[in-house]
Amino acid sequence: MSSARPFYVTTPIYYVNDEPHVGHAYTTILADVFARHHRIHGGAVHFLTGTDEHGQKVQEAAQKRGLTPLQHCDELVERFRALWVRLQVSNDDFIRTTEPRHEKVVAEFLIELQARGEIYRERYEGLYCTPDERFWTAKDVVDGNCPLCGRPVVTLTEENYFFRMSRHQEWLVDYIKTHPEFIQPKTRRNEVLGFLEKPLGDLCISRPAARLHWGIPIPFDSEYVTYVWVDALVNYVSAVRETEFWPASLHLIGKDILTTHCVYWPTLLHALGLPMPETILAHGWWLQGESKMSKSVGNVVKPLALVDLYGVDAFRYYLMRDMVVGQDAEFSEKHLVQRLNSDLANDLGNCLNRVERMIGTYAEGRAPEVRGEDDADRELAQTGKRTVVAAQEAMLARRPHEAIEATLQLVRATNRYLELKAPWKAFKTDGPTGVATALWTSAEALRLAAVLLAPVIPAKSGEMLSRLGVADSPEVWFPRPIVDDEGGALPPANETAQGALAATWGALPPGTEIRPGAALFPRVETTTES
Ligand code: MSP
């Protein structure tokens, strides 16, 4: 086993009570795209997602249904698990905050913080938002309402445990300033630094068990449970406690949970003497009209309905292509269909069909050997090589929409190239030798496009590669880690196939049998203009 730490990527752990919607699907697919990208380029990956299961809302919902909170969670967690399978999410682990491995680490951390003098107990009066389960200062509250959800806050007096977060403020500001990669994008980094211009308070990390019993007990005081955000953040470490994966390479979050991840989490880690995650990347919101898609607004779009209609790859493609990581985007089914019809059906799918058909008719169904090159051939090869670099750089810069666009440009260039070379004419005058280079070159461009798009459209990319004869074994292309019974990684099923999966121009072996298939992405006819 190699000692190099893998690329460790996480999603937020989702509230188990909420029905998964497009917003949740987006973060998880984004993490999946980065995980697959790293795996394809030969890196080891550890990809974690999971569910956040404690707190008032879960306690109340379970009570209403006459279930224990755990029974309620056991049932609801399956919606997330099933959705991730359906969306081809290749997570290596799934953590639930009700698992003993997690509860154990939360308790350990609290004991350690206590031992380090980072925790004190105090009587506290504060303005409390019951639905969000958090205290606010008078300055935060807007006209008596929670600044987060807009619902009324109540005055609450209780004794609680506090984490000396304020102690770490100076350190945190300095850390953020000296580590430009720590919080991304820049706008969010500035937002956090702006927030830290005001004095940072201490963090209330407990809730009286009398009010809220559904939580992880404070290990040194059974009258209290752990504040749900402290509980939840620890998942990123508790899931990998027995490994060397911590610190994480990348925490992906939505901008709604910036403060918890960029202020609470780093100060907690610092207080514990643990290393910082490399990067916390906050993306924007999928909007419906002007407002964030969310359960409380009641405007959520359900991913499964869209996947049933348009297929998982088109759904993933749309989410990755139409949102610039960091910015908001408006969700529109119409735009999804447009992307599907133009990029996937017209550009990509048609190109594949054309090339397959021509190789069948003019080259006995096998990728020919190159016979001489002209300017157009060399230009497409150049475009192919440039695309690999551009797509790779865009993925590493966490700009998947650019990687996709660069690859689609290659596909469009291939379609234009075929028009120019017109193998259907060249064959008539020059026979098989006259079309050999054009057929190999366009098949190679498609193979490369399939490799570059694989993180985004894994199933269709696998199909393309198999039709282009380079990936016999679907396992090669579905990097849900292929493990043997002992949990060890299995070698690739087919060495040749691995070579031809290379993200470099020129890897398609001449003589490869091309196996034509049906339309890769059938067009969706739209009846309405809505
Ligand atoms: N349980 C906390 C996170 C704890 S992490 C230690 C939580 N859960 S959540 O179920 O509300 O999911 C929040 C995440 O879902 C957001 O941070 C974001 O990643 C994603 N999204 C939820 N709605 C979204 C949109 N409308 N648009 C994009 N992503 C959004 O907060």
Side-chain angles (χ1 to χ4, degrees):
M1 244 189 95
S2 130
S3 63
R5 287 193 315 108
F7 171 72
Y8 173 26
V9 57
T10 68
T11 73
I13 48 170
Y14 303 103
Y15 291 127
V16 73
N17 231 10
D18 290 356
E19 193 169 344
H21 62 70
V22 161
H24 307 127
Y26 173 73
T27 316
T28 310
I29 292 171
L30 187 64
D32 188 55
V33 166
F34 295 144
R36 286 177 183 270
H37 173 80
H38 277 260
R39 289 197 198 97
I40 288 165
H41 292 279
V45 169
H46 189 72
F47 170 15
L48 175 71
T49 187
T51 40
D52 190 349
E53 305 194 352
H54 291 122
Q56 198 94 34
K57 279 184 254 179
V58 172
Q59 181 176 305
E60 281 164 9
Q63 205 166 15
K64 264 194 208 139
R65 300 180 64 206
L67 297 175
T68 67
L70 189 59
Q71 284 171 332
H72 175 71
C73 292
D74 283 347
E75 198 182 301
L76 294 189
V77 68
E78 295 311 323
R79 297 192 299 200
F80 283 92
R81 283 195 206 277
L83 180 62
W84 304 150
V85 169
R86 186 77 200 281
L87 294 181
Q88 308 244 343
V89 170
S90 65
N91 56 300
D92 298 290
D93 194 0
F94 186 104
I95 186 147
R96 303 178 56 187
T97 52
T98 46
E99 286 174 62
R101 61 168 170 162
H102 173 73
E103 298 183 333
K104 190 171 137 243
V105 177
V106 171
E108 269 170 34
F109 276 14
L110 290 170
I111 289 169
E112 180 67 21
L113 288 170
Q114 168 91 321
R116 288 172 176 245
E118 294 281 356
I119 292 180
Y120 63 93
R121 186 180 162 133
E122 199 177 70
R123 192 176 174 73
Y124 179 81
E125 184 182 276
L127 300 165
Y128 187 73
C129 171
T130 316
D132 284 334
E133 295 164 38
R134 59 190 281 183
F135 281 99
W136 296 102
T137 64
K139 266 186 281 164
D140 298 323
V141 168
V142 187
D143 300 330
N145 294 322
C146 168
L148 203 64
C149 70
R151 286 170 285 199
V153 295
V154 291
T155 307
L156 212 70
T157 312
E158 55 189 34
E159 266 195 30
N160 266 311
Y161 288 93
F162 287 82
F163 161 52
R164 296 187 193 277
M165 187 161 72
S166 57
R167 262 193 191 172
H168 305 278
Q169 176 164 13
E170 231 183 280
W171 165 82
L172 180 60
V173 170
D174 184 61
Y175 190 87
I176 296 172
K177 286 189 173 159
T178 51
H179 294 79
E181 76 295 343
F182 185 49
I183 300 172
Q184 287 181 11
K186 244 197 210 118
T187 46
R188 299 294 159 220
R189 178 167 176 262
N190 292 338
E191 190 179 321
V192 175
L193 285 172
F195 176 84
L196 289 168
E197 276 168 15
K198 286 182 283 177
L200 192 58
D202 288 339
L203 181 67
C204 180
I205 56 161
S206 65
R207 295 291 180 264
R211 176 155 63 80
L212 172 72
H213 64 80
W214 185 234
I216 300 179
I218 297 276
F220 38 83
D221 190 339
S222 59
E223 303 278 293
Y224 288 88
V225 299
T226 311
Y227 170 43
V228 74
W229 262 105
V230 172
D231 166 353
L233 287 163
V234 172
N235 91 86
Y236 301 131
V237 175
S238 64
V240 296
R241 197 56 172 158
E242 306 301 324
T243 72
E244 292 173 356
F245 297 164
W246 186 260
S249 318
L250 183 64
H251 286 324
L252 280 176
I253 60 167
K255 65 179 182 180
D256 46 332
I257 51 177
L258 194 67
T259 312
T260 48
H261 282 80
C262 300
V263 179
Y264 300 2
W265 184 224
T267 50
L268 281 165
L269 286 168
H270 184 241
L272 288 160
L274 288 172
M276 294 302 123
E278 224 166 283
T279 296
I280 302 162
L281 175 61
H283 63 72
W285 287 339
W286 284 100
L287 306 174
Q288 283 275 58
E290 300 280 283
S291 39
K292 180 191 176 204
M293 190 188 293
S294 78
K295 187 184 160 193
S296 43
V297 182
N299 59 356
V300 299
V301 177
K302 297 192 185 148
L304 284 179
L306 294 167
V307 169
D308 284 343
L309 273 173
Y310 308 116
V312 59
D313 294 273
F315 177 68
R316 291 173 58 115
Y317 184 88
Y318 168 71
L319 292 183
M320 294 300 112
R321 176 62 187 82
D322 274 34
M323 181 174 265
V324 176
V325 173
Q327 293 173 21
D328 292 347
E330 183 161 346
F331 188 87
S332 146
E333 188 170 340
K334 184 178 150 202
H335 290 156
L336 190 163
V337 172
Q338 279 170 354
R339 283 284 176 209
L340 168 55
N341 283 343
S342 65
D343 292 13
L344 297 175
N346 258 7
D347 295 340
L348 187 65
N350 277 349
C351 193
L352 178 68
N353 273 135
R354 283 174 101 181
V355 171
E356 285 173 349
R357 228 175 1 210
M358 285 193 274
I359 290 181
T361 318
Y362 307 131
E364 295 173 343
R366 289 185 181 273
E369 190 119 23
V370 170
R371 301 289 178 95
E373 282 179 317
D374 63 15
D375 283 351
D377 306 323
R378 277 187 286 270
E379 199 182 311
L380 192 64
Q382 277 311 320
T383 306
K385 289 175 194 166
R386 271 200 309 271
T387 306
V388 173
V389 177
Q392 171 84 344
E393 280 177 3
M395 278 294 190
L396 292 177
R398 311 295 172 220
R399 298 176 67 78
H401 74 285
E402 279 181 10
I404 294 171
E405 189 45 34
T407 309
L408 261 287
Q409 292 293 355
L410 171 64
V411 173
R412 290 177 198 124
T414 308
N415 275 321
R416 287 195 302 271
Y417 166 84
L418 286 170
E419 287 306 314
L420 184 80
K421 300 288 283 192
W424 49 94
K425 288 188 199 151
F427 187 77
K428 282 191 196 138
T429 48
D430 303 323
T433 3
V435 296
T437 301
L439 296 185
W440 180 87
T441 306
S442 48
E444 172 58 0
L446 281 172
R447 182 198 66 80
L448 202 56
V451 171
L452 297 177
L453 289 173
V456 180
I457 50 168
K460 290 295 179 183
S461 160
E463 186 186 330
M464 275 181 84
L465 287 163
S466 133
R467 284 162 66 164
L468 293 168
V470 292
D472 283 334
S473 148
E475 297 92 76
V476 171
W477 212 243
F478 290 98
R480 192 172 266 287
I482 314 162
V483 290
D484 60 23
D485 294 341
E486 256 91 64
L490 285 176
N494 177 335
E495 292 295 336
T496 338
Q498 277 289 309
L501 294 175
T504 44
W505 180 266
L508 178 69
T512 305
E513 192 187 343
I514 309 295
R515 292 166 257 177
L520 190 66
F521 287 97
R523 273 185 75 85
V524 172
E525 296 312 328
T526 41
T527 45
T528 57
E529 282 302 300
S530 67

